[in-house]
Amino acid sequence: MDLSSIRKLITRYCTGEESWVDSRTVYIGQKEPPPGTEAYIPQRFPDNRIVSSKYTFWNFIPKNLFEQFRRIANFYFLIIFLVQLIIDTPTSPTTSGLPLFFVITVTAIKQGYEDWIRHKADNAINQCPVHIIQHGKVVRKQSQKLRVGDIVQVKENETFPCDLILLSTSREDGTCFVTTASLDGESSHKTYYAVQDTKAFNTAEEVDTLHATIECEQPQPDLYKFVGRINIYLDRDEPIVRPLGSENLLLRGATLKNTEYIHAVAIYTGMETKMALNYQSKSQKRSAVEKSMNAYLIVYLCILISKALINTVLKYAWQANPNRDEPWYNQKTETERQRHVLIRAFTDFLAFMVLFNYIIPVSMYVTVEMQKFLGSYFILWDDDMFDEELGEGPLVNTSDLNEELGQVEYVFTDKTGTLTENNMELRECCVDGHVYVPHAICNGQILPGATGMDMIDSSPGVDGKEREELFFRALCLCHTVQVKEEETVDGIKRGIHQGKSTSFYISSSPDEVALVEGMKRLGFTYLRLKDSHMEILNREDEMERFELLEVLNFDSVRRRMSVIVRSSSGDYYLFCKGADSSVFPRVVSGKVEQVRARVEHNAVEGLRTLCVAYKKLTHEEYEETCHLLNRAKLALQDRDKKLAEAYDVIEKDFILLGATAVEDRLQDKAADTIESLHKAGMKVWVLTGDKMETAAATCYASKLFHRNTQILELTTKRTEEQSLHDVLFDLSRTVLRQHGSMTRDTFSGLSGDYQDYGLIIDGATLSAVLKPTQEVTSNGGNYKEIFLEICRNCSAVLCCRMAPLQKAQIVKMIKASKERPITLAIGDGANDVSMILEAHVGIGIMGKEGRQAARNSDYAITKFKHLKKMLLVHGHYYYIRIAELVQYFFYKNVCFIFPQFLYQFFCGFSQQPLYDTAYLTLYNISFTSLPILLYSLMEQHINMDILKRDPTLYRDIAKNSLLRWPTFIYWTFLGVFDAVVFFFGAFFLFDNTTFTSNGQLMATNTQMMFGNWTFGTLVFTVLVFTVTLKLALDTHYWTWINHFVIWGSLLFYVIFSLLWGGIIWPFLNYQRMYYVFMQMLSSGPAWLSIILLIIVSLLPDVVKKVLCRALWPTTTERIQNADKLYKGHLSEFTPLSSLHAPPVRKHDRHGNENQNRTHRRSDSSPPKKLMCTYWGGRPDYCTFSSFLRIGENPRFSGPAYAYSTPGPETSV
């Protein structure tokens, strides 16, 4: 037996039958089929319980512990704790066990509480009552007891308990209306259809008589795809077979509307429903900060091992002299003397590892988790990002990537619904070259009496009139729009016109609604779909009825949709509408050139264009078409492929009628947001499925491209004229001619000395570029590398005609490039999900294309403009906060442990701890934890308004600048310096000692009892105060909470030390700290020494900051200084350009200095600022000399020094 057979058997018997069978058979009503029809093979299916919880009562402790100890830091501390239990170590196991227990317990409580909430939610759903038909009666059961094959009755406004196939409804036509807002966010009513042969079974008794089976695919998560067929057994031998598709499938979580009741059969239950499959966890994304933390952790682990190794070697070197083998009071036992030297050395090595293990900050991980979780609420609470129209604010689906918002280098955005409003309005129709626009316009004036939409050129003839009306009928019939009467949606009454109840249109596509409403203005009104007949009202107010025979639904591959209808006269028509690229190749007659010219003109104007065509069918052609479609619809395997082949055969030989142009307005402040992202150093790419001209017009309107941007095209049209190889090398030479080997990443986005390039590429060319099998070019690179090099030197890129998978490929390609940039993808539709999941940070927009993108994203916002604040403010704050948190944690642990390392040189490497057990345990848990947590939540180093006004400040934190190795090394050396000051400063205080009358050793210069615990307590006191005050010096944004926590932490340390050493605790066997702290504080010189050592420890960092701010200030530091100078009102009136670092003077090709960008101090007339103020409600313009003088550096302190000042006066 081969391995594959064994694997199949294991899969079959371990995971159930359904997981390896391609399809399942469902017996409706749990009834066996009539004898002789087919073999009855009952299959096992899961019950209808929904389980979103992670743990049960029995497995919580082992499963949670297993997951927590998979983290390296937790596992490391567990090993240290076990070592302390097994061997004789210098510190108590409590010192490692208690912090580890605290971290594990806090995390377990948090995860247990979250899981308890999930259990409650699951129980509420699982115990919800449902109505099931059994033996001709309606029986009430709990939802969790529902089984596959049960017939369910659902009433209006009830939610479907599982995935159901619709059998019958209370409506005569067998339709029902459903809202799927909880699944995809679309609040519009969607129409679903009962099986034609079962829609007459309206009562429970009738439904119970139904004998049928359903064959369908196994569960899969695609909400919009379903393949199956139903076999209905009547009196005859052969069953009636009907196809089942997504239009027959009612999904769990959707709600029944405008329908009294329905009967449906359960086919997917419990965790096999599409909703449950869609809520599976996504792949874990890790931020750049987390990767830096892990790298630093490895460095500190190496330092720890080095310390332990050095001390072990030096201990045996020290003890090589027999006189110094062991102190007289600590003679070795005979057992120890007989042990092998390597075993003793290894034991000592482990003991030193335990002694120094606190250099690895275990509490940092729990602090970072708390900071991310609590910090995410600042996005949720941001009123500026709340949308009044939707009544919703931003969502945070994961808080693990907060700081990544401050590191974005590439932004990939969708166009429709993201940059634009996805609010369509019909602007123009072109019928056989005759153009119609809203109102008739002549010489820029609206003609009197022009109502609705009128022609702007000559009237068509008689034939033209017929074609015109056929065009209007085509748009009234070729759609999936639903007609609704007045209803209340989100508290707003729709369908009210001048106080009268009227109908309104709803569709999943805003384009279709715009077209149908446009036709209504032209005199052709779509009324309703009734009894499979579409009713329209023509210009003469006569009702026309067309029988709807077939709908060839729209899909993103074909980019068109068609309907087949029969008129009242018996004529068959196939109407088609779609993108010009998918319709023009299938047209055989019509005024193609005139329509094509108009389509191209409208695309350049940024309008969305659709072409409309038709053909008449004979009865024989219709019969052949039906046969072709039915054969494809009944297929269980590759149904989509077979349908696509059938559509390709049917949709051809069209007669072109005309085209439409729909406007999709740009979102509010979209252009401002893109401009700000550019200034912040981010590159913005637009990835869209629209045609090139439409997308390019939107890019110009949104300021992605500027008028001086040189557009480079890498499109199919150009590659048809030249080979792809030649086009790529031409573009490469163009962008590198001026830049040389440098890329635009080197330059500031504000500089005007370099040509701006914008690249446009289409999907077909991208596929050719990304083909894996490519020959290597003569210069050693392939097409992909050349393409990346071109993109790096372009300020903006537009990718049009993109398939959803291609969007993800683009993002993946940029992620994998040699710079490894941080990417962000933003979109609003299901076609953007793959791109959102692929990017480092995915942002979904809660738009009109549903909530698929928002549901699969890391963050969700309501409008594109909110991206500006999310990145430039929240992202900036998150990054600087967590960067300080990480560096500070390592710094304070170096300060904590390095004195312990130095102490071993003075105690014969005997592994004697410097600090008391309580101090070792509580240092990271209590004494120093809260101040840094609060800092990482509330710090604002620059005013929020300034960050929004000056996007270039984002560049200061780009490329993980605050967590680079030089910064890490500086913090580490600062910790070592402070530790040396603590240790030797305290050591020299005990330099001169003498014995007192009662035999105690007294330090003569401080009048303190000399002892190792007094010495260690002094060092620890200086340590706690220094690291806390260091954080206070780094804090720019002070509130009463900061004061309370920082000074409260110091006060808590003092009170704890007094209580710990001032009371005889009954649960302690010995109390080595008794009266030590109080005796130390009773010495006046000790107080002075503590203050002096704190000042000396903090001095280098303070001096370094003062010098850097005075001599080499960054833009951030300039703004901080100015903000303090003007008491926080800088953002109200100061021109921020004057605070930027001065540009480096450049030389032109002839060696002349380029001086037109900076203003000289020697100018006779100092430049002025022009400020507009409002006094008494009217504007007043006044000129004033510059008020800003930062430092004494002559380069920056001249009057009104301003960056890039073109003239003596600057308007503010």
Side-chain angles (χ1 to χ4, degrees):
M1 182 180 286
D2 61 357
L3 289 175
S4 62
S5 302
I6 296 172
R7 187 164 57 248
K8 285 181 180 178
L9 283 173
I10 292 172
T11 306
R12 177 173 181 176
Y13 290 108
C14 294
T15 61
E17 185 83 9
E18 68 278 6
S19 63
W20 64 277
V21 177
D22 290 334
S23 62
R24 62 169 56 183
T25 302
V26 178
Y27 298 93
I28 296 180
Q30 312 295 341
K31 296 176 185 175
E32 299 181 23
T37 52
E38 61 180 45
Y40 177 59
I41 308 173
Q43 297 179 28
R44 290 178 301 165
F45 302 112
D47 59 23
N48 199 39
R49 278 181 301 174
I50 283 289
V51 181
S52 64
S53 55
K54 203 173 182 181
Y55 309 104
T56 65
F57 179 79
W58 305 107
N59 72 6
F60 173 72
I61 292 177
K63 190 173 181 180
N64 187 265
L65 288 178
F66 172 74
E67 289 183 350
Q68 292 208 54
F69 285 120
R70 286 170 66 186
R71 300 187 75 164
I72 295 174
N74 290 346
F75 184 72
Y76 162 78
F77 271 88
L78 177 66
I79 296 298
I80 292 292
F81 176 63
L82 294 176
V83 167
Q84 286 179 297
L85 290 176
I86 294 168
I87 68 170
D88 183 22
T89 56
T91 57
S92 165
T94 311
T95 58
S96 289
L98 194 60
L100 180 64
F101 177 77
F102 172 75
V103 169
I104 296 294
T105 304
V106 167
T107 308
I109 291 172
K110 172 179 170 284
Q111 292 178 350
Y113 173 74
E114 290 173 348
D115 206 60
W116 177 68
I117 296 295
R118 286 193 287 265
H119 269 286
K120 285 184 65 178
D122 289 347
N123 288 335
I125 293 171
N126 293 332
Q127 294 172 10
C128 182
V130 296
H131 296 92
I132 300 172
I133 294 177
Q134 287 183 344
H135 309 298
K137 295 181 180 179
V138 179
V139 180
R140 185 168 172 168
K141 283 187 177 181
Q142 286 186 346
S143 175
Q144 61 188 359
K145 295 180 180 178
L146 191 63
R147 294 185 302 159
V148 170
D150 284 344
I151 300 175
V152 181
Q153 184 184 78
V154 182
K155 297 181 180 178
E156 187 174 3
N157 294 323
E158 288 183 353
T159 301
F160 302 129
C162 61
D163 291 351
L164 306 163
I165 289 294
L166 183 58
L167 298 176
S168 64
T169 78
S170 59
R171 302 169 68 94
E172 292 180 3
D173 58 0
T175 61
C176 71
F177 300 107
V178 171
T179 58
T180 57
S182 61
L183 296 171
D184 56 18
E186 295 180 12
S187 58
S188 60
H189 292 190
K190 298 177 181 176
T191 307
Y192 288 83
Y193 301 90
V195 179
Q196 285 298 314
D197 300 88
T198 63
K199 67 180 182 180
F201 293 78
N202 286 323
T203 64
E205 293 80 7
E206 291 173 347
V207 171
D208 195 51
T209 62
L210 179 64
H211 280 75
T213 60
I214 292 175
E215 296 173 71
C216 61
E217 62 186 358
Q218 291 294 351
Q220 50 99 0
D222 191 338
L223 295 176
Y224 308 101
K225 182 183 175 186
F226 175 75
V227 175
R229 63 184 173 217
I230 184 170
N231 304 301
I232 304 168
Y233 298 95
L234 299 177
D235 296 333
R236 58 186 182 181
D237 296 335
E238 287 297 319
I240 298 173
V241 182
R242 293 284 182 256
L244 299 174
S246 56
E247 69 277 5
N248 309 113
L249 180 66
L250 305 171
L251 299 177
R252 176 177 193 140
T255 306
L256 185 66
K257 293 287 185 181
N258 288 0
T259 309
E260 190 179 342
Y261 64 85
I262 63 152
H263 294 116
V265 60
I267 56 163
Y268 302 134
T269 53
M271 298 309 292
E272 289 187 342
T273 59
K274 288 182 180 287
M275 184 181 77
L277 294 175
N278 267 279
Y279 288 126
Q280 300 298 322
S281 58
K282 301 185 286 288
S283 59
Q284 190 70 24
K285 295 181 180 180
R286 293 172 61 215
S287 70
V289 170
E290 189 177 345
K291 293 173 186 174
S292 297
M293 281 169 52
N294 292 337
Y296 296 163
L297 199 67
I298 292 170
V299 171
Y300 271 69
L301 192 59
C302 294
I303 292 173
L304 170 63
I305 294 171
S306 303
K307 281 183 177 182
L309 202 60
I310 290 168
N311 275 264
T312 305
V313 171
L314 290 176
K315 175 177 182 176
Y316 282 88
W318 167 266
Q319 293 180 355
N321 186 338
N323 297 327
R324 295 187 299 203
D325 187 14
E326 284 289 340
W328 60 270
Y329 54 83
N330 190 23
Q331 289 296 328
K332 290 181 181 176
T333 62
E334 193 61 30
T335 311
E336 286 179 328
R337 291 182 187 280
Q338 290 176 358
R339 289 167 66 188
H340 194 276
V341 65
L342 290 178
I343 296 175
R344 280 189 286 143
F346 181 68
T347 306
D348 285 329
F349 173 77
L350 290 178
F352 279 119
M353 285 281 288
V354 169
L355 188 64
F356 301 139
N357 82 86
Y358 300 96
I359 197 171
I360 307 294
V362 64
S363 58
M364 179 178 70
Y365 283 92
V366 73
T367 307
V368 166
E369 275 197 10
M370 291 174 67
Q371 188 268 350
K372 289 183 175 183
F373 175 71
L374 297 174
S376 63
Y377 281 93
F378 289 112
I379 290 179
L380 299 175
W381 293 336
D382 193 335
D383 290 338
D384 292 343
M385 298 173 72
F386 185 84
D387 188 84
E388 297 289 348
E389 183 182 346
L390 289 177
E392 291 185 80
L395 295 176
V396 178
N397 295 327
T398 174
S399 59
D400 293 338
L401 302 171
N402 290 346
E403 65 276 8
E404 206 81 328
L405 294 170
Q407 294 297 295
V408 176
E409 297 171 62
Y410 281 81
V411 175
F412 299 94
T413 174
D414 179 39
K415 183 183 79 70
T416 306
T418 305
L419 293 179
T420 60
E421 290 183 350
N422 204 9
N423 186 14
M424 312 299 179
E425 183 180 347
L426 181 63
R427 300 308 303 257
E428 179 181 301
C429 290
C430 174
V431 185
D432 276 352
H434 300 291
V435 180
Y436 299 75
V437 297
H439 307 295
I441 301 175
C442 181
N443 298 326
Q445 299 293 322
I446 299 177
L447 295 179
T451 58
M453 190 179 252
D454 300 300
M455 289 184 56
I456 61 169
D457 54 8
S458 58
S459 178
V462 178
D463 291 342
K465 200 76 172 175
E466 291 179 3
R467 296 287 289 277
E468 173 193 296
E469 292 189 352
L470 191 60
F471 173 84
F472 297 151
R473 287 189 181 94
L475 287 176
C476 281
L477 298 171
C478 188
H479 57 73
T480 56
V481 171
Q482 303 161 33
V483 182
K484 299 295 175 196
E485 300 304 322
E486 174 200 340
E487 67 169 8
T488 302
V489 178
D490 297 330
I492 303 170
K493 284 194 174 181
R494 301 186 58 182
I496 296 290
H497 179 65
Q498 294 178 352
K500 298 179 181 178
S501 177
T502 60
S503 60
F504 65 98
Y505 301 117
I506 288 180
S507 174
S508 55
S509 168
D511 294 77
E512 289 194 328
V513 174
L515 293 174
V516 175
E517 287 178 343
M519 293 306 101
K520 188 175 181 179
R521 291 161 62 192
L522 280 164
F524 281 79
T525 305
Y526 172 61
L527 297 176
R528 65 187 68 85
L529 173 65
K530 185 177 180 182
D531 300 329
S532 300
H533 283 75
M534 301 180 82
E535 298 177 354
I536 62 175
L537 203 65
N538 62 24
R539 284 173 172 167
E540 285 74 34
D541 287 339
E542 297 170 351
M543 183 186 292
E544 299 179 6
R545 284 169 59 89
F546 292 82
E547 184 181 357
L548 181 62
L549 301 173
E550 297 286 349
V551 178
L552 283 60
N553 285 315
F554 176 87
D555 63 66
S556 56
V557 178
R558 285 168 46 243
R559 297 177 61 81
R560 61 183 180 272
M561 76 159 291
S562 302
V563 295
I564 300 176
V565 296
R566 181 167 56 195
S567 67
S568 53
S569 60
D571 295 326
Y572 292 91
Y573 289 95
L574 171 61
F575 291 116
C576 175
K577 75 167 188 277
D580 58 311
S581 58
S582 64
V583 173
F584 280 142
R586 297 176 176 273
V587 169
V588 293
S589 66
K591 297 187 178 179
V592 178
E593 293 308 317
Q594 294 96 317
V595 175
R596 190 195 302 273
R598 197 66 199 175
V599 165
E600 291 175 356
H601 172 269
N602 288 330
V604 170
E605 295 294 319
L607 303 178
R608 295 164 61 89
T609 57
L610 284 176
C611 294
V612 182
Y614 84 104
K615 72 173 179 179
K616 291 186 76 170
L617 301 174
T618 63
H619 183 72
E620 291 74 19
E621 288 173 332
Y622 168 68
E623 291 292 339
E624 185 181 345
T625 298
C626 284
H627 178 69
L628 201 61
L629 286 173
N630 287 334
R631 192 168 57 190
K633 286 178 180 178
L634 287 174
L636 283 181
Q637 301 295 328
D638 299 323
R639 179 183 289 185
D640 288 343
K641 181 181 176 183
K642 291 174 181 176
L643 276 173
E645 292 170 354
Y647 292 163
D648 191 56
V649 172
I650 296 165
E651 295 174 321
K652 62 182 182 181
D653 301 332
F654 287 130
I655 300 170
L656 185 65
L657 285 172
T660 63
V662 174
E663 182 184 27
D664 187 8
R665 286 190 295 273
L666 206 64
Q667 277 197 21
D668 181 37
K669 297 184 179 177
D672 173 64
T673 302
I674 286 182
E675 198 169 23
S676 297
L677 298 182
H678 272 309
K679 289 179 180 177
M682 289 174 246
K683 292 190 174 182
V684 182
W685 289 34
V686 174
L687 312 182
T688 179
D690 271 0
K691 62 185 301 179
M692 188 181 81
E693 294 82 3
T694 305
T698 303
C699 289
Y700 276 110
S702 61
K703 297 186 180 178
L704 185 75
F705 295 155
H706 297 277
R707 292 302 168 191
N708 60 345
T709 301
Q710 184 176 338
I711 302 298
L712 309 175
E713 288 188 20
L714 185 56
T715 58
T716 308
K717 183 178 178 181
R718 186 166 178 186
T719 52
E720 286 172 354
E721 299 168 357
Q722 286 179 276
S723 69
L724 179 61
H725 178 277
D726 294 340
V727 174
L728 281 170
F729 273 88
D730 283 349
L731 296 179
S732 180
R733 281 194 297 268
T734 301
V735 296
L736 295 178
R737 187 181 300 126
Q738 186 177 19
H739 298 167
S741 60
M742 302 175 70
T743 64
R744 284 197 64 86
D745 294 336
T746 319
F747 311 130
S748 164
L750 299 176
S751 174
D753 295 337
Y754 295 90
Q755 174 64 51
D756 237 358
Y757 291 106
L759 177 69
I760 298 178
I761 183 171
D762 59 19
T765 312
L766 181 71
S767 298
V769 169
L770 298 182
K771 273 184 183 175
T773 54
Q774 290 175 353
E775 58 179 20
V776 176
T777 56
S778 57
N779 66 348
N782 59 23
Y783 292 163
K784 184 176 174 181
E785 291 173 355
I786 300 168
F787 173 67
L788 275 172
E789 188 63 30
I790 295 168
C791 292
R792 282 192 205 102
N793 290 281
C794 292
S795 59
V797 178
L798 165 62
C799 304
C800 50
R801 299 295 195 194
M802 289 284 120
L805 189 59
Q806 286 182 312
K807 293 183 177 184
Q809 287 175 335
I810 288 257
V811 177
K812 189 174 183 179
M813 179 186 70
I814 295 297
K815 278 173 65 180
S817 61
K818 61 184 179 182
E819 296 91 358
R820 302 286 175 182
I822 304 299
T823 58
L824 179 146
I826 179 170
D828 71 320
N831 59 335
D832 302 314
V833 169
S834 55
M835 169 178 76
I836 286 170
L837 292 176
E838 183 62 48
H840 291 96
V841 183
I843 296 185
I845 289 186
M846 294 174 268
K848 298 185 179 180
E849 291 188 22
R851 298 296 170 93
Q852 301 97 316
R855 192 175 64 242
N856 287 279
S857 64
D858 303 306
Y859 303 88
I861 54 179
T862 54
K863 293 286 189 294
F864 182 77
K865 66 179 180 181
H866 298 318
L867 184 64
K868 178 179 177 179
K869 188 172 186 183
M870 181 169 269
L871 297 184
L872 302 186
V873 178
H874 290 292
H876 198 123
Y877 282 156
Y878 283 137
Y879 178 73
I880 62 109
R881 289 165 181 169
I882 203 165
E884 176 87 7
L885 183 150
V886 171
Q887 301 281 27
Y888 178 79
F889 251 100
F890 284 111
Y891 157 78
K892 73 185 181 76
N893 279 36
V894 170
C895 293
F896 180 43
I897 286 305
F898 201 72
Q900 180 76 71
F901 173 73
L902 296 174
Y903 186 56
Q904 297 308 302
F905 290 85
F906 294 88
C907 67
F909 306 99
S910 62
Q911 299 152 10
Q912 168 66 32
L914 177 62
Y915 310 118
D916 178 61
T917 302
Y919 290 159
L920 284 169
T921 305
L922 297 178
Y923 176 73
N924 277 319
I925 294 177
S926 300
F927 299 148
T928 59
S929 59
L930 273 181
I932 184 59
L933 176 61
L934 194 76
Y935 175 96
S936 64
L937 289 173
M938 302 191 67
E939 172 64 0
Q940 295 182 21
H941 65 308
I942 295 180
N943 186 286
M944 189 181 297
D945 294 333
I946 297 174
L947 287 177
K948 283 195 289 187
R949 285 180 56 205
D950 192 357
T952 56
L953 292 172
Y954 193 86
R955 294 169 182 262
D956 285 359
I957 61 166
K959 299 185 184 297
N960 207 11
S961 61
L962 301 184
L963 286 174
R964 289 179 183 165
W965 287 106
T967 312
F968 169 72
I969 292 168
Y970 167 76
W971 278 85
T972 302
F973 275 104
L974 183 64
V976 170
F977 171 82
D978 288 352
V980 169
V981 171
F982 304 156
F983 183 83
F984 287 106
F987 179 78
F988 290 132
L989 291 177
F990 293 97
D991 197 21
N992 298 315
T993 58
T994 182
F995 283 99
T996 61
S997 57
N998 58 2
Q1000 291 179 324
L1001 196 63
M1002 179 75 73
T1004 55
N1005 51 352
T1006 60
Q1007 297 301 304
M1008 282 193 300
M1009 284 187 298
F1010 183 84
N1012 65 313
W1013 299 120
T1014 306
F1015 177 66
T1017 303
L1018 181 63
V1019 171
F1020 192 79
T1021 302
V1022 178
L1023 161 70
V1024 170
F1025 274 79
T1026 301
V1027 297
T1028 306
L1029 291 174
K1030 157 71 176 158
L1031 188 65
L1033 288 173
D1034 286 349
T1035 302
H1036 295 93
Y1037 185 72
W1038 284 92
T1039 64
W1040 68 268
I1041 307 177
N1042 294 78
H1043 286 287
F1044 176 78
V1045 170
I1046 287 178
W1047 313 125
S1049 293
L1050 296 176
L1051 185 63
F1052 172 74
Y1053 164 69
V1054 173
I1055 293 172
F1056 173 83
S1057 298
L1058 290 171
L1059 294 175
W1060 182 244
I1063 300 174
I1064 298 176
W1065 298 98
F1067 54 83
L1068 296 177
N1069 295 328
Y1070 56 91
Q1071 200 158 345
R1072 54 195 177 197
M1073 289 296 293
Y1074 182 67
Y1075 212 66
V1076 168
F1077 191 73
M1078 284 175 285
Q1079 188 272 336
M1080 184 189 75
L1081 293 185
S1082 64
S1083 167
W1087 280 82
L1088 185 62
S1089 302
I1090 291 171
I1091 295 170
L1092 183 64
L1093 290 176
I1094 292 171
I1095 292 172
V1096 172
S1097 301
L1098 294 174
L1099 192 60
D1101 192 46
V1102 172
V1103 170
K1104 178 250 180 189
K1105 287 185 175 177
V1106 169
L1107 288 177
C1108 286
R1109 280 177 177 267
L1111 301 177
W1112 309 284
T1114 63
T1115 304
T1116 300
E1117 289 168 345
R1118 278 190 175 84
I1119 289 180
Q1120 286 173 347
N1121 293 338
D1123 205 27
K1124 288 176 183 175
L1125 182 63
Y1126 292 98
K1127 296 181 174 57
H1129 295 290
L1130 172 69
S1131 59
E1132 295 180 12
F1133 52 79
T1134 308
L1136 293 180
S1137 60
S1138 63
L1139 302 177
H1140 283 277
V1144 179
R1145 288 185 175 179
K1146 304 179 183 70
H1147 295 262
D1148 62 21
R1149 295 178 184 174
H1150 305 289
N1152 298 321
E1153 285 193 357
N1154 183 1
Q1155 298 176 349
N1156 64 339
R1157 297 271 170 194
T1158 56
H1159 205 89
R1160 294 187 173 185
R1161 289 190 67 202
S1162 56
D1163 288 346
S1164 56
S1165 57
K1168 303 289 181 75
K1169 308 291 181 190
L1170 188 67
M1171 183 172 74
C1172 172
T1173 59
Y1174 285 85
W1175 300 99
R1178 63 187 185 85
D1180 176 48
Y1181 293 86
C1182 57
T1183 352
F1184 59 99
S1185 297
S1186 175
F1187 44 75
L1188 193 60
R1189 299 172 184 269
I1190 301 173
E1192 294 303 321
N1193 192 323
R1195 289 191 303 156
F1196 313 137
S1197 57
Y1201 171 79
Y1203 172 69
S1204 193
T1205 309
E1209 292 194 346
T1210 304
S1211 176
V1212 180

